[in-house]
Amino acid sequence: MLSRLVLRAAPAALRNLAPPATVGVLHVTRPLHTTQQRSAPLPPLPEKGGEVRHGLIPEEFFQFLYPKTGVTGPYMLGTGLLLYLLSKEIYVINHETVASACILTVIIYGVKKYGADVAAFADKLNEEKMAKALAVKNEAIKGLETAIEEEKKEQWRVEGRKYLFDAKRNNIAMLLETNYRERLLTVYNEVKKRLDYQVAMQNLKRQKEQDHMIQWVEKNVVQSITPQQQKDSIAKCILDLKALSKSAQAAYLEKMGSGSSKKAAEPISTTVTVQTPVQTPVSTTVADMKPPEVKCWIDNHEILYMSLAFISGILSAVLVFAIIHLCRKKCRRPHQTLQEELPTQTVTEESEKNTQNEVTYTTLVFQRSRTPVAV
Amino acid sequence: MAQPPVPLKDMKLMDVKLGQLPTWLAMRDYTPGGIVGAVRRGYDRYYNKYINVRKGGLGGISMLLASYVVISYIWSYSHIKHDRHRRYH
């Protein structure tokens, strides 16, 4: 209905008129807020306005007349009143009447036809307004509730600060411990380095002393070896070597000449015996060949006879040598005839040569063998 | 009507007996403030009854318009008098 449209415009217009006037009058003289504040919520808007019959006459009038005149009372009153006004021409029928009749017809027709739609539209607008206001209110409430929950959560979190501080304390203690251990390790390393240095120094000193002592001893020993001593030692070595060489030679001959005659063996043996002291690699090879030839050597009778002959030859040679030695010794003192000396001289020369060779050989061997002994 | 005895001047018009009407009228407050207050009261009553509702109907403003029409007719009656259907106005 139209009043609903007015509802949207009228409140703003009508309400704005009265309050400023009263407030303007009152704001100096009278104190405000004298009445007690009412905490009860405002009563809700009434759903429907006062009943109006035919859009003109309020229902209260009909109710006022009902006890006395019943239902038709007001209508009778209305009819009578209208007739009176018309008859007395208090209400004059003129052009305005026609105009108002037309206007009223149109208005009533419009209202009757579109009244409901307009009412629904106005109601929709109203609902939207209300819904917006409610939404705002609900949002505010929700926001405040979430704030309350957050606050409670924060309070709960505060209770946990004890654990937080414990964890922090643990961290710090661990850091301190680590630092302390690191420093301990550095101390240990430094001390170890110093001690190692001392140990190395002692070892070095001892080694130097040892080397020096060895060198000094060697030097003195070498100095102490007199030429006579050297000669005696050399002669002894020569004898030893001869014995060794003979035994080696026997084995070598057995191996080399398994089918040769005795004659060849004897001169060969004599020449070989003269030259064996010089031929050292031969003795070594003979020594190598000796072990595998042992079986064959024993089995063959021929070889056995040959070996016997060889040994006899060697013994004869030894006899010769001994005689020569004795002759040398004898010849030195009495100075006997040259005839005897000649063959012996040649032999002695040969022997001297051999001894010279033997000396050089033995010195070489001795020098070579000295170094491992000294160390 | 179980009400405590109310002084005459504060009684509502509908409760005033017909015999007390002149006295009641005389005792009303006719100062400018009183008149403005009365108008205000009347306006508030009408507004809250017919307009300030959820589903206001047509009667709310139509009554105002009708009353406006009637009052304007009354004020211009001296002019409308001349449209009466009689010989001598």
Side-chain angles (χ1 to χ4, degrees):
Chain A
M1 305 300 235
L2 285 176
S3 66
R4 281 177 220 177
L5 287 173
V6 172
L7 180 64
R8 308 198 70 230
L14 290 170
R15 278 186 183 277
N16 286 341
L17 286 174
T22 50
V23 168
V25 167
L26 294 172
H27 82 278
V28 176
T29 55
R30 211 184 284 184
L32 298 169
H33 296 287
T34 47
T35 57
Q36 283 199 340
Q37 284 196 341
R38 281 163 286 193
S39 52
L42 279 175
L45 275 178
E47 193 68 23
K48 282 175 112 45
E51 277 284 323
V52 174
R53 213 184 274 211
H54 304 296
L56 280 174
I57 303 142
E59 195 65 33
E60 282 82 12
F61 184 69
F62 290 84
Q63 295 301 322
F64 177 67
L65 289 176
Y66 178 76
K68 289 287 191 256
T69 60
V71 178
T72 54
Y75 291 111
M76 295 313 295
L77 177 64
T79 312
L81 202 65
L82 189 66
L83 283 171
Y84 165 69
L85 290 171
L86 282 169
S87 70
K88 281 287 195 183
E89 279 205 306
I90 294 169
Y91 178 67
V92 177
I93 294 175
N94 50 4
H95 63 283
E96 284 176 3
T97 310
V98 176
S100 65
C102 297
I103 289 163
L104 279 170
T105 314
V106 167
I107 284 168
I108 286 163
Y109 174 74
V111 163
K112 283 277 189 260
K113 191 148 184 198
Y114 302 112
D117 291 343
V118 169
F121 175 72
D123 279 343
K124 196 158 71 75
L125 290 174
N126 254 0
E127 285 297 320
E128 279 171 20
K129 225 170 42 167
M130 292 285 287
K132 260 191 236 173
L134 270 174
V136 165
K137 184 180 96 167
N138 286 341
E139 292 278 332
I141 284 171
K142 241 185 276 181
L144 288 168
E145 272 174 10
T146 45
I148 286 166
E149 279 172 23
E150 290 285 317
E151 187 60 36
K152 286 217 173 81
K153 212 177 196 183
E154 288 298 316
Q155 283 176 355
W156 169 77
R157 278 209 188 113
V158 161
E159 285 168 22
R161 70 181 181 276
K162 183 165 74 79
Y163 300 112
L164 182 71
F165 291 153
D166 278 343
K168 286 200 172 187
R169 233 177 272 131
N170 278 347
N171 278 354
I172 287 164
M174 226 177 284
L175 278 172
L176 286 169
E177 184 82 23
T178 323
N179 212 358
Y180 170 70
R181 295 253 173 105
E182 277 175 3
R183 280 199 231 123
L184 216 58
L185 185 70
T186 37
V187 162
Y188 164 78
N189 284 338
E190 286 296 313
V191 167
K192 190 164 179 306
K193 270 197 264 182
R194 275 153 185 64
L195 290 174
D196 284 343
Y197 169 72
Q198 292 295 325
V199 164
M201 279 285 288
Q202 282 181 10
N203 284 344
L204 184 72
K205 198 171 175 189
R206 197 180 299 138
Q207 200 171 347
K208 286 286 170 217
E209 284 172 0
Q210 216 169 349
D211 290 340
H212 182 257
M213 207 182 288
I214 287 161
Q215 277 178 5
W216 184 79
V217 164
E218 273 182 17
K219 200 170 68 172
N220 280 351
V221 164
V222 167
Q223 278 174 2
S224 71
I225 294 172
T226 55
Q228 180 56 38
Q229 230 178 353
Q230 207 170 0
K231 261 191 187 169
D232 287 340
S233 61
I234 285 163
K236 178 77 175 40
C237 289
I238 287 160
L239 283 169
D240 287 334
L241 276 166
K242 277 182 189 162
L244 275 168
S245 68
K246 276 158 196 167
S247 60
Q249 191 61 42
Y252 176 67
L253 274 173
E254 290 301 316
K255 188 234 164 207
M256 290 298 286
S258 60
S260 60
S261 60
K262 291 182 190 176
K263 271 193 183 177
E266 282 192 37
I268 289 164
S269 67
T270 49
T271 50
V272 169
T273 48
V274 168
Q275 288 173 3
T276 40
V278 184
Q279 290 171 3
T280 41
V282 175
S283 62
T284 50
T285 49
V286 165
D288 288 331
M289 276 192 229
K290 214 180 169 182
E293 298 290 322
V294 168
K295 274 188 186 172
C296 301
W297 180 68
I298 292 165
D299 287 338
N300 291 336
H301 288 288
E302 277 182 303
I303 291 164
L304 186 66
Y305 294 139
M306 288 285 285
S307 65
L308 279 169
F310 181 65
I311 286 160
S312 63
I314 285 164
L315 283 170
S316 62
V318 166
L319 269 168
V320 165
F321 261 82
I323 290 159
I324 289 162
H325 264 283
L326 287 164
C327 288
R328 264 184 68 196
K329 281 190 182 168
K330 275 187 184 173
C331 285
R332 273 187 192 172
R333 286 178 232 154
H335 294 287
Q336 282 179 357
T337 55
L338 291 168
Q339 284 184 351
E340 285 182 53
E341 280 179 348
L342 273 168
T344 56
Q345 260 187 358
T346 52
V347 177
T348 50
E349 274 176 13
E350 280 183 349
S351 72
E352 273 181 23
K353 254 201 246 172
N354 291 336
T355 51
Q356 281 292 320
N357 290 335
E358 284 166 2
V359 164
T360 51
Y361 165 69
T362 48
T363 47
L364 279 168
V365 170
F366 187 67
Q367 274 175 357
R368 255 202 284 165
S369 66
R370 245 178 57 189
T371 45
V373 172
V375 173
Chain B
M1 300 254 277
Q3 282 175 0
V6 179
L8 187 60
K9 71 179 171 96
D10 289 330
M11 275 203 316
K12 291 187 188 169
L13 178 61
M14 303 308 278
D15 296 333
V16 169
K17 301 261 188 295
L18 206 60
Q20 294 168 335
L21 195 61
T23 46
W24 185 85
L25 281 169
M27 286 167 83
R28 294 300 291 166
D29 189 12
Y30 293 106
T31 59
I35 289 171
V36 165
V39 168
R40 183 124 194 83
R41 277 200 308 276
Y43 166 79
D44 278 346
R45 265 180 64 189
Y46 185 80
Y47 180 76
N48 287 330
K49 185 158 182 192
Y50 291 107
I51 297 173
N52 199 13
V53 294
R54 285 252 175 99
K55 287 183 184 237
L58 191 62
I61 49 162
S62 74
M63 276 199 288
L64 282 170
L65 290 171
S67 60
Y68 167 70
V69 164
V70 168
I71 287 167
S72 72
Y73 183 86
I74 291 167
W75 283 342
S76 62
Y77 186 71
S78 59
H79 178 72
I80 294 167
K81 253 196 319 194
H82 302 291
D83 294 332
R84 279 191 292 195
H85 191 260
R86 58 183 71 191
R87 205 178 179 130
Y88 302 108
H89 293 125

